[in-house]
Amino acid sequence: MKISRESVEPCQIRLTVEAEPAQLEAARRSVSLDLSKLYRIPGFRPGKVPYERLVALLGQQAVDGEVFDHLGRQLVRAAVKAEGLE
């Protein structure tokens, strides 16, 4: 994870956080597992739907939105902690 810090105003800081490809892939797998437990998909047990099949059923945009929400929360927490912010 790469973090860049920029002072915007006296009491404001802009953090730019860049995820590593491995982090993105791990988030995709984690979110797909969570989504596959939420939706009943014929022919698959809950939690056992392959990522590619899930994308085909729900759409890439929907799955990516969930991935970015999930990963974004993790990255923001880690960046704030790494920069020593409250």
Side-chain angles (χ1 to χ4, degrees), residues 4-83:
S4 64
R5 182 178 181 160
E6 173 187 350
S7 293
V8 180
E9 290 183 17
C11 295
Q12 291 184 355
I13 295 173
R14 177 178 294 139
L15 294 178
T16 303
V17 183
E18 186 176 323
E20 299 293 328
Q23 288 176 307
L24 183 58
E25 188 59 32
R28 279 189 178 131
R29 297 300 166 188
S30 174
V31 167
S32 68
L33 180 64
D34 293 344
L35 289 175
S36 69
K37 289 178 183 177
L38 284 176
Y39 296 101
R40 247 183 106 66
I41 298 172
F44 296 98
R45 292 179 290 163
K48 302 296 182 181
V49 180
Y51 177 77
E52 294 76 20
R53 182 70 178 133
L54 195 63
V55 169
L57 291 169
L58 300 177
Q60 186 69 48
Q61 191 173 15
V63 175
D64 281 348
E66 291 293 325
V67 169
F68 294 135
D69 286 345
H70 176 77
L71 185 59
R73 285 191 299 272
Q74 287 180 350
L75 291 176
V76 166
R77 279 190 217 115
V80 167
K81 186 176 180 179
E83 292 293 318

